[in-house]
Amino acid sequence: MSAVELSPDAVGKNAPKIVARGVNVFYGSAQALKEVDLDVGEHEVTALIGPSGCGKSTFLRCLNRMNDVIEGCRVEGRIELDEDDIYDRQLDVVQLRARVGMVFQKPNPFPKSVYDNIAYGPRIHGVGQSKSEMDEIVETSLTRAGLWNEVKDRLQSPGTGLSGGQQQRLCIARAIAVNPEVILMDEPCSALDPIATARIEELIDELRQNFTIVIVTHSMQQAARVSQRTAFFHLGNLVEVGDTEQIFTNPRDERTEGYITGRFG
Amino acid sequence: MNVLTILVVMVGLSVAGYYLGTRQAVGVAGGQRSRLHSLPSYHGLYLASWVLLPAVALLIVWLIVEPHVAEQALIANLPASVEQMDPNTLRLTIGDIEARALGGIVGREVAPEFQPAAEAYAATLSISRWLMAACLVAVMAIGGLLAFRSIGVEMRARNRFERIAEVIMIGAATIAILTTVGIILSLLFETARFFAEVPFFEFLFGLQWSPQTALRADQVGSSGSFGAIPLFAGTLLITLIALCVAVPIGLFAAIYMSEYATPRIRGTAKPILEILAGVPTVVYGFFAALTVAPFFRGLGQSIGLDVSSESALAAGSVMGIMIIPFVSSLSDDVMNAVPQSLRDGAFALGATKSETIRQVILPAALPGIVGAVLLATSRAIGETMIVVMAAGLAANLTANPLEAVTTVTVQIVTLLVGDQEFDSAKTLAAFALGLVLFVVTLCLNIFALHIVRKYREKYD
């Protein structure tokens, strides 16, 4: 990879967990991402910002190969997770997704009980054979997602019956239960009210201790609050990446400045 | 004056009314259409409906009342000798006279003493027709005139016509509902007559079905026995076999179409599968009787089983093929209604496609799938042609699919086909069976639709 020239900002201070080089994504003949180089540092929150349709969600979905599900989507370039190429033919997508969890824009709990929602991931990966092990996984995951106290008395009631914010934390707990290394979040608060949003943001900050987090957000305040590093995408290009503070106080590119000051977007 | 001519004239007049109304509306607006509250065509429609609708209502009432009035005239002119005739013969004679007057074919000549009655009947009818024509013209003229005079710049013809259109549609819906009610009532009354002759519990729980009743006192071997359990059992057996065929095939087809197939394949495969539902059941019937049943018999013989040539297996499996589209199409729809976000959620946790389908999609779609299967079941229970041709007539009480059984629908057909007397327990039994069938399928349908609807509310 030494042939690729990188700006010093593309590489963060923390050791990189995910390394993306020369990523191009096509939907049919339309190109959604152009030559993106980006490092995601371990145990930090990387925020992807940019106007709608700029390719930030597309990039996020490359990291756990959720783009495989979309018909006509083609990914070029190299993405490494702990130096393993995740687009290697030998790689099992199921194992990749066990290492890279994901939380979606709209809370999508399964129409099952709270307990079964959390237990789903461990079960399909063969973790937590005994009842007591599984109980423990469920309790830990819910506790880490800050939901345990609210739902411990109704683990058997349907997950779809919780409030929107609770559902989203349930989805985070569900992702944590598989014990991934990276958690991808695709605008996790856009369907929530400000109070639920604040709780999730707090949670993201706590989760940083144990997980590497990549978050797509439309809210620049949110990016500023929760992330250590920020990447600005525009029209499929990665325009600028750097420490969050630097991006918001002293952007180098005029497009970045234009976007964060609200002149376009 | 015949009714068809009258109808044509009525429609002609109302079309004329339309043009008249349109022109008048343009006229009162002084040629400036924008001054009118409603478009000229609404004025035309309004006028036309005032010409046509009251007249049609009058026509219907007249045609219902007329025969009764004419018959009264006929009876009043009957000779005194009829007092000695027995009521049935009298009824027949009156029928003959009426049929003759209307130009129908009559078996016998009318006896001379009935001539005055016949003449009175014909005269009444003829007067009635002319009177009716006059009344209709009057009603159309009054309706048309009133509507015509109301045409003006401010007249809200659009709103009024919408109102009329609404009433017409309510009328159409009412006719459909009343017909259903009529069918249920006829079933109920005939069934009540049947239970006057055969005890209710004997019918529902009796094990012996042999509906041949003696027409004459000296006939033997036709005692008549109306235990419907063998029919219910036969229906159940065939329905079960049909479901064993349709549910796995239909469900797998649905899973393939909604989860694996590309939109293009799905767009082609689904209509083709639905063609199965469009094959006339009589075609399935002879396919079952002439192809499938001999095939099963041959297969049975080759492995040493005795399969009757009209077996529940043959009828049931072909019926299963018939109801595949009900299961597959509806299940495919409900699985497609499961939000993509649930699939994404499962995939993102590392679930494989089959795990996602088994553990997320199917449980989420289950109520809808159950609804689809129930609808298919009610279709199978009510299906007639296949079982008439392939299942046999013998009312065996058996659970062996290789034997011939009979079903409720088959028995209704055999009880009512051909010349029958409609007051014996034998023919009345058909109505009781029909009512049972109706109640069962109605309950299944209501239950199924309830389940499907409850499920729909959840994700839309």
Side-chain angles (χ1 to χ4, degrees):
Chain A
M1 301 315 292
S2 54
V4 181
E5 289 283 325
L6 280 179
S7 71
D9 296 319
V11 186
K13 283 178 219 122
N14 284 20
K17 181 76 182 169
I18 295 173
V19 176
R21 291 293 177 271
V23 176
N24 287 301
V25 178
F26 303 87
Y27 292 119
S29 57
Q31 187 163 9
L33 273 185
K34 296 165 193 160
E35 292 293 324
V36 172
D37 300 327
L38 182 66
D39 283 7
V40 174
E42 195 161 18
H43 296 307
E44 60 182 19
V45 178
T46 305
L48 311 181
I49 61 169
S52 296
C54 68
K56 54 194 189 305
S57 287
T58 300
F59 180 74
L60 191 77
R61 291 169 70 94
C62 286
L63 303 181
N64 66 345
R65 291 185 55 176
M66 279 299 281
N67 283 334
D68 292 11
V69 185
I70 298 170
E71 215 170 305
C73 179
R74 194 156 49 84
V75 179
E76 286 174 3
R78 192 174 172 84
I79 301 176
E80 290 173 0
L81 173 67
D82 285 342
E83 292 170 0
D84 298 328
D85 182 1
I86 66 169
Y87 280 88
D88 191 335
R89 281 174 192 281
Q90 301 295 318
L91 178 125
D92 184 2
V93 146
V94 167
Q95 279 166 2
L96 170 71
R97 290 181 188 153
R99 292 173 66 189
V100 183
M102 187 162 187
V103 175
F104 295 85
Q105 184 170 359
K106 240 181 87 193
N108 56 350
F110 300 132
K112 301 168 183 283
S113 69
V114 171
Y115 186 97
D116 286 336
N117 260 286
I118 308 295
Y120 183 79
R123 272 187 195 137
I124 59 174
H125 294 295
V127 183
Q129 297 296 334
S130 70
K131 175 93 174 69
S132 59
E133 264 181 280
M134 189 59 86
D135 288 349
E136 202 186 311
I137 292 175
V138 170
E139 182 173 349
T140 335
S141 310
L142 284 170
T143 310
R144 283 164 97 178
L147 194 59
W148 175 251
N149 287 330
E150 289 161 63
V151 300
K152 64 182 173 199
D153 298 324
R154 45 176 177 152
L155 289 176
Q156 294 311 323
S157 57
T160 43
L162 302 176
S163 74
Q166 287 174 327
Q167 284 189 18
Q168 193 62 302
R169 278 180 281 146
L170 180 68
C171 292
I172 293 174
R174 185 175 72 185
I176 295 172
V178 189
N179 203 16
E181 297 155 37
V182 182
I183 299 176
L184 310 176
M185 297 187 174
D186 192 355
E187 298 179 42
C189 302
S190 62
L192 304 181
D193 67 64
I195 294 167
T197 301
R199 293 223 47 178
I200 303 268
E201 286 178 4
E202 245 171 70
L203 179 61
I204 291 171
D205 204 47
E206 289 164 22
L207 292 175
R208 180 158 68 91
Q209 313 301 323
N210 300 300
F211 306 97
T212 302
I213 293 171
V214 185
I215 179 171
V216 165
T217 177
H218 267 128
S219 151
M220 277 169 291
Q221 290 88 335
Q222 184 169 66
R225 282 192 298 261
V226 301
S227 71
Q228 283 71 55
R229 280 163 55 77
T230 297
F232 172 66
F233 285 76
H234 185 233
L235 298 175
N237 296 301
L238 174 58
V239 173
E240 187 171 355
V241 55
D243 289 343
T244 299
E245 208 180 313
Q246 175 252 313
I247 292 276
F248 281 97
T249 55
N250 187 22
R252 297 209 176 93
D253 195 289
E254 59 182 21
R255 286 171 291 177
T256 316
E257 193 186 346
Y259 182 68
I260 60 175
T261 52
R263 259 184 285 141
F264 74 90
Chain B
M1 202 174 218
N2 88 33
V3 179
L4 188 67
T5 322
I6 294 175
L7 267 178
V8 170
V9 170
M10 280 163 62
V11 171
L13 283 177
S14 63
V15 170
Y18 172 80
Y19 285 107
L20 198 65
T22 312
R23 277 191 51 194
Q24 175 68 7
V26 178
V28 294
Q32 287 173 284
R33 282 156 190 256
S34 55
R35 281 183 58 215
L36 288 168
H37 168 271
S38 309
L39 288 175
S41 62
Y42 280 108
H43 290 277
L45 284 171
Y46 180 66
L47 182 59
S49 30
W50 267 107
V51 171
L52 191 61
L53 296 180
V56 167
L58 177 69
L59 181 66
I60 291 170
V61 173
W62 197 288
L63 288 180
I64 291 172
V65 175
E66 187 188 67
H68 296 286
V69 175
E71 197 171 294
Q72 288 308 315
L74 188 155
I75 290 169
N77 285 287
L78 283 175
S81 60
V82 296
E83 312 239 323
Q84 284 102 51
M85 287 168 80
D86 85 302
N88 281 335
T89 321
L90 179 60
R91 191 58 251 165
L92 275 176
T93 313
I94 293 176
D96 279 349
I97 297 170
E98 288 176 4
R100 237 185 118 70
L102 296 172
I105 298 157
V106 187
R108 289 161 295 185
E109 278 302 309
V110 177
E113 68 262 33
F114 291 114
Q115 210 54 45
E119 275 162 17
Y121 183 74
T124 318
L125 274 188
S126 142
I127 293 169
S128 151
R129 280 297 147 89
W130 284 108
L131 202 59
M132 177 174 83
C135 288
L136 286 175
V137 169
V139 167
M140 285 192 283
I142 294 170
L145 201 64
L146 285 177
F148 184 80
R149 284 180 56 186
S150 72
I151 291 176
V153 176
E154 289 299 316
M155 214 274 278
R156 306 193 159 212
R158 174 161 48 81
N159 309 31
R160 292 196 192 179
F161 179 71
E162 294 291 347
R163 193 71 206 125
I164 293 171
E166 191 186 329
V167 170
I168 293 174
M169 282 162 213
I170 291 174
T174 315
I175 289 173
I177 292 169
L178 286 182
T179 313
T180 316
V181 172
I183 291 173
I184 296 171
L185 284 182
S186 81
L187 271 180
L188 278 177
F189 284 125
E190 300 296 329
T191 306
R193 282 174 64 193
F194 172 70
F195 285 130
E197 295 187 30
V198 175
F200 181 72
F201 286 102
E202 189 190 315
F203 172 73
L204 271 192
F205 301 109
L207 300 179
Q208 195 67 40
W209 177 264
S210 138
Q212 300 308 323
T213 42
L215 288 176
R216 300 187 310 273
D218 57 344
Q219 273 183 325
V220 288
S222 309
S223 53
S225 157
F226 294 95
I229 287 287
L231 310 188
F232 298 151
T235 307
L236 200 66
L237 179 64
I238 287 183
T239 306
L240 272 180
I241 295 171
L243 288 178
C244 287
V245 172
V247 170
I249 298 181
L251 203 53
F252 286 146
I255 291 173
Y256 171 72
M257 283 193 297
S258 93
E259 304 300 320
Y260 289 95
T262 60
R264 238 188 69 201
I265 295 182
R266 180 169 183 263
T268 325
K270 203 173 173 184
I272 292 178
L273 250 177
E274 280 164 2
I275 289 177
L276 275 181
V279 176
T281 56
V282 66
V283 174
Y284 279 113
F286 61 70
F287 176 63
L290 303 180
T291 311
V292 178
F295 168 74
F296 279 130
R297 195 183 50 194
L299 197 71
Q301 268 167 0
S302 68
I303 55 171
L305 279 174
D306 186 22
V307 185
S308 84
S309 51
E310 288 185 320
S311 62
L313 187 60
S317 49
V318 172
M319 196 189 278
I321 306 283
M322 184 193 77
I323 58 175
I324 284 175
F326 288 82
V327 179
S328 71
S329 239
L330 279 169
S331 303
D332 174 49
D333 287 344
V334 288
M335 285 199 278
N336 258 312
V338 174
Q340 181 62 31
S341 67
L342 286 185
R343 292 183 185 89
D344 285 348
F347 288 144
L349 285 171
T352 62
K353 199 148 197 168
S354 71
E355 281 168 341
T356 308
I357 293 167
R358 266 186 291 123
Q359 296 159 357
V360 177
I361 312 284
L362 283 182
L366 193 63
I369 293 172
V370 171
V373 171
L374 286 178
L375 283 180
T377 309
S378 90
R379 184 68 214 271
I381 290 176
E383 170 49 38
T384 311
M385 224 45 230
I386 295 175
V387 277
V388 165
M389 295 168 87
L393 293 174
N396 294 326
L397 185 53
T398 174
N400 181 357
L402 306 180
E403 277 184 44
V405 295
T406 192
T407 68
V408 174
T409 50
V410 171
Q411 288 306 314
I412 293 177
V413 170
T414 51
L415 288 176
L416 292 186
V417 164
D419 294 332
Q420 302 290 351
E421 40 169 0
F422 271 82
D423 52 359
S424 78
K426 182 186 162 195
T427 42
L428 291 175
F431 291 97
L433 288 175
L435 187 67
V436 171
L437 208 57
F438 175 76
V439 169
V440 170
T441 50
L442 182 72
C443 290
L444 273 177
N445 282 352
I446 290 175
F447 188 51
L449 289 176
H450 171 75
I451 288 180
V452 171
R453 200 170 304 138
K454 199 171 150 199
Y455 167 74
R456 290 242 164 90
E457 282 165 7
K458 215 158 130 193
Y459 287 115
D460 281 357

